[in-house]
Amino acid sequence: MNMFWGSGPLDYIAQLDASLQNLHSEGRYRTFINIERRNGNFPHAIWRKPDGMDQAITVWCGNDYLGMGQHPVVLNAMHEAIDATGAGSGGTRNISGTTVYHKRLEVELADLHGKEAALLFTSAYIANDATLSTLPKLFPGLIIYSDALNHASMIEGVRRNGGAKRIFRHNDVAHLRELLEADDPKAPKLIAFESIYSMDGDFGPIEALCDLADEFEALTYIDEVHAVGMYGPRGAGVAERDGLMHRLDIINGTLAKAYGVMGGYIAASNKMCDAIRSYAPGFIFTTSIPPAVAAGAATSVAYLKRAPELREQHQTKAKILKTRLKAMGLPIIDHGSHIVPVMVGDPVHTQKLSDMLLEDFGIYAQPINFPTVPRGTERLRFTPSPVHGPQEMNTLVQAMDALWSHCALNRADLTG
């Protein structure tokens, strides 16, 4: 062991202890529970408890929004691909890691978004980070205007790209206009935002942002991670639902949420994808996703293009849950999306509620604390799916009612 791993002026162990203790003292130390998803039984799973015992649970916080991670058509495609090709891709996309499965998936994604091309990454985080950090190399002097509540991956990409950045207040089109007007009209510009902000479930003002982009000759970059598969006639996202996809230059999405697999991508013009492919280190130097994963994702994307009924069922379940929680006076945020945040406002109480839901009711809802959300806005975030049935819904609602009273938390006044 290194000589500094002990007492002394450079006590690294003590520094690690202090950092971890800070999280414990603030009530926001994150504990991962060990679960085993049961194929064909979504959203039910088994909790492998620390004492070695197993407990049946229902997952209410997963991002497999439509249950596609266990859908037979996806699993069959993955089985066929792994039997045909083996486990990994064997290399980066540039060096032996581009297969027919990767190309098929990119064709499906380009078609989904009505773009000329798409480019696969190992995750939507990497897709955001790699693309946004590369754009100033392609457009010298680029100024990126980023919504204040953009995802950490977008923030990181903008932060480290070496170009100029401006942060506009969340969904504040007037503030964005002020920033655009203050900059050199000849400077290249890009506006980066999301379609659905996952912690509050609110929508970005896509059309108004596109109007500003047209007026100031700016490129547009939208993150549709929490919308692809779930909104629009074919599941291309909120921009498709609102008839705005043609006005967006770069669309970012994920294959790990509604599509139930893994990976991320951008969809854009041929030239844009070619340039990002050629310049982005996050693409160039990363082993490509396994062919079986690409096969499963392509099948999932193709399937959901033809399954509007799943999207309708998903929205209905979210509306029912929000209506029932509101009826009990629980403080939920409702912006009309599928995301159901219940505000607690304290990290210790949020963790306590999560623990009691799991241990006493078999309901798994991970607490959401800082830095994912601002301090004082800690919450439980529920993600109903088409296969969360009446029994699962009743159990959750009754458990939340009982625990809210047990913890003496405030409710809304429903008498007015």
Side-chain angles (χ1 to χ4, degrees), residues 343-364:
M343 305 302 290
V344 182
D346 175 86
V348 175
H349 285 155
T350 308
Q351 184 66 60
K352 185 177 181 182
L353 279 169
S354 175
D355 290 344
M356 289 190 293
L357 281 171
L358 184 64
E359 293 165 6
D360 299 340
F361 297 93
I363 293 169
Y364 176 35

Side-chain angles (χ1 to χ4, degrees), residues 111-159:
D111 171 75
L112 175 69
H113 292 290
K115 299 299 183 186
E116 293 177 339
L119 193 63
L120 268 177
F121 293 82
T122 50
S123 72
Y125 186 108
I126 299 299
N128 272 332
D129 183 22
T131 303
L132 288 168
S133 63
T134 297
L135 287 170
K137 300 175 186 175
L138 307 175
F139 306 102
L142 180 70
I143 304 171
I144 295 183
Y145 302 82
S146 180
D147 188 287
L149 292 190
N150 277 343
H151 189 265
S153 58
M154 300 174 76
I155 293 171
E156 184 65 13
V158 172
R159 182 191 67 79

Side-chain angles (χ1 to χ4, degrees), residues 111-413:
D111 171 75
L112 175 69
H113 292 290
K115 299 299 183 186
E116 293 177 339
L119 193 63
L120 268 177
F121 293 82
T122 50
S123 72
Y125 186 108
I126 299 299
N128 272 332
D129 183 22
T131 303
L132 288 168
S133 63
T134 297
L135 287 170
K137 300 175 186 175
L138 307 175
F139 306 102
L142 180 70
I143 304 171
I144 295 183
Y145 302 82
S146 180
D147 188 287
L149 292 190
N150 277 343
H151 189 265
S153 58
M154 300 174 76
I155 293 171
E156 184 65 13
V158 172
R159 182 191 67 79
R160 67 183 191 84
N161 68 21
K165 66 176 184 293
R166 311 282 185 261
I167 309 301
F168 62 93
R169 290 187 292 270
H170 177 53
N171 281 352
D172 191 332
V173 178
H175 184 222
L176 174 58
R177 172 179 286 280
E178 292 174 9
L179 296 175
L180 287 163
E181 289 175 339
D183 282 320
D184 182 355
K186 296 181 180 178
K189 301 173 178 67
L190 179 138
I191 303 171
F193 53 96
E194 299 186 37
S195 61
I196 298 178
Y197 292 84
S198 64
M199 288 302 113
D200 286 350
D202 57 330
F203 294 89
I206 303 173
E207 186 171 18
L209 294 172
C210 288
D211 289 343
L212 272 186
D214 289 346
E215 181 179 346
F216 289 89
E217 298 184 19
L219 296 170
T220 49
Y221 185 106
I222 189 170
D223 179 310
E224 288 256 38
V225 159
H226 287 274
V228 290
M230 296 174 288
Y231 293 81
R234 299 199 308 157
V238 178
E240 182 194 28
R241 183 197 70 180
D242 296 347
L244 297 169
M245 282 197 302
H246 64 289
R247 302 186 65 186
L248 296 158
D249 295 294
I250 304 174
I251 298 174
N252 168 274
T254 186
L255 303 165
K257 292 182 169 59
Y259 295 118
V261 194
M262 181 185 176
Y265 63 89
I266 61 167
S269 67
N270 277 323
K271 288 186 183 298
M272 182 68 78
C273 288
D274 194 21
I276 297 298
R277 175 189 71 83
S278 302
Y279 280 87
F283 179 88
I284 296 169
F285 298 106
T286 300
T287 297
S288 63
I289 62 174
V293 172
T299 299
S300 185
V301 172
Y303 181 90
L304 286 180
K305 287 177 182 177
R306 306 183 303 274
E309 69 281 356
L310 276 181
R311 287 184 276 282
E312 293 166 6
Q313 293 167 18
H314 185 224
Q315 292 292 323
T316 298
K317 291 295 175 65
K319 289 175 183 174
I320 292 171
L321 179 58
K322 285 187 279 192
T323 299
R324 294 188 65 179
L325 293 175
K326 283 182 188 176
M328 298 189 305
L330 268 61
I332 79 165
I333 299 176
D334 185 4
H335 290 288
S337 75
H338 62 283
I339 293 168
V340 187
V342 179
M343 305 302 290
V344 182
D346 175 86
V348 175
H349 285 155
T350 308
Q351 184 66 60
K352 185 177 181 182
L353 279 169
S354 175
D355 290 344
M356 289 190 293
L357 281 171
L358 184 64
E359 293 165 6
D360 299 340
F361 297 93
I363 293 169
Y364 176 35
Q366 187 76 7
I368 309 293
N369 294 326
F370 178 84
T372 307
V373 295
R375 297 180 195 274
T377 68
E378 292 82 6
R379 66 198 66 181
L380 294 174
R381 176 180 170 274
F382 298 103
T383 54
S385 77
V387 290
H388 282 90
Q391 182 176 340
E392 290 88 358
M393 187 86 71
N394 287 338
T395 300
L396 173 62
V397 170
Q398 292 163 8
M400 287 294 289
D401 189 23
L403 292 180
W404 214 259
S405 297
H406 176 79
C407 295
L409 297 171
N410 291 331
R411 298 182 191 243
D413 183 1

